Amino acid sequence: MRLLLLGAPGAGKGTQAAALAERFGVPHISSGELLRRHVAVGRKLGRKVAAYLERGELAPDALVSAVVEEALARAGPGYVLEGFPRTLSQARAADARHVDGLADAAVFLELPDDVARQRIAQRTAAGRSDDRDREVVERRLRTFHAETDPVVDYYRDRGLLVTVDATQPPDVVTTAILAALAGTS
Ligand code: AMP
């Protein structure tokens, strides 16, 4: 199973990706987590990436794609990939690189912006610096609609999209995703 998870900040991508990866016995790859790890290491790439993360802007396509492809190469045939692709050009380039495309299905965790704002405000205690600043959160939401809504449409047009109501409790969302995926196979 090669699965993508798409959704606005606060939609629960990380939580659902972890649950699905465990369920399918495949690695969980998070583009945001990979980038944060580079920042933590603090070398040249990390310093470059840090500026984008702090501002709530997308990191450059080529940079993110390289980091994600490296993780995919290590992952083997199955994975749950979360947070990537986030732009149409990332999606198109990734599909071109992989013989069978990047994924078998893309799960869209649908969440109204006001619920996303509330959730992010609640999780600031967990310590992500890009969750703390309201302006940064608003930029991430705007960026999601401008850059990633078209990615959702891209997978819908290809018949690969499964949309799930992400306002529900996490275990209900997981069950809904599994049911929807079973319906597509
Ligand atoms: P996330 O953990 O998915 O919310 O991502 C945190 C931050 O990492 C984002 O706000 C972006 O700055 C960066 N990022 C993660 N994934 C991507 C991506 N696919 N393309 C560009 N930037 C990304």
Side-chain angles (χ1 to χ4, degrees):
M1 173 62 81
R2 301 172 309 149
L3 211 56
L4 304 181
L5 280 189
L6 308 170
K13 296 189 299 292
T15 305
Q16 295 304 325
L20 294 166
E22 197 186 327
R23 171 77 183 223
F24 293 119
V26 296
H28 166 195
I29 302 169
S30 157
S31 55
E33 207 46 56
L34 290 170
L35 295 175
R36 280 189 288 278
R37 232 174 278 160
H38 276 287
V39 172
V41 172
R43 281 199 277 272
K44 200 172 162 200
L45 178 65
R47 285 199 297 276
K48 191 174 171 196
V49 166
Y52 293 99
L53 265 73
E54 277 161 23
R55 290 194 297 260
E57 291 170 9
L58 293 183
D61 286 342
L63 189 158
V64 184
S65 297
V67 167
V68 168
E69 287 297 340
E70 198 188 48
L72 290 178
R74 277 196 307 266
Y79 44 79
V80 177
L81 176 56
E82 166 224 332
F84 183 94
R86 257 191 168 78
T87 66
L88 259 189
S89 73
Q90 286 178 9
R92 289 195 180 117
D95 271 342
R97 273 192 304 267
H98 296 261
V99 185
D100 300 321
L102 180 62
D104 306 312
V107 176
F108 173 39
L109 298 173
E110 196 170 33
L111 192 75
D113 283 359
D114 54 345
V115 183
R117 288 187 188 95
Q118 279 167 20
R119 286 197 183 165
I120 293 169
Q122 278 159 10
R123 78 179 183 191
T124 51
R128 265 182 63 172
S129 60
D130 58 349
D131 283 348
R132 268 180 233 133
D133 186 324
R134 265 185 81 163
E135 210 176 300
V136 170
V137 170
E138 288 306 317
R139 186 173 303 124
R140 284 160 62 208
L141 283 170
R142 276 199 307 277
T143 303
F144 177 78
H145 293 301
E147 302 287 349
T148 313
D149 281 352
V151 177
V152 173
D153 292 338
Y154 173 92
Y155 286 108
R156 184 180 291 116
D157 291 347
R158 278 156 188 74
L160 295 176
L161 194 75
V162 157
T163 301
V164 171
D165 173 6
T167 62
Q168 308 173 96
D171 53 332
V172 179
V173 175
T174 309
T175 305
I177 294 171
L178 292 171
L181 288 174
T184 61
S185 60

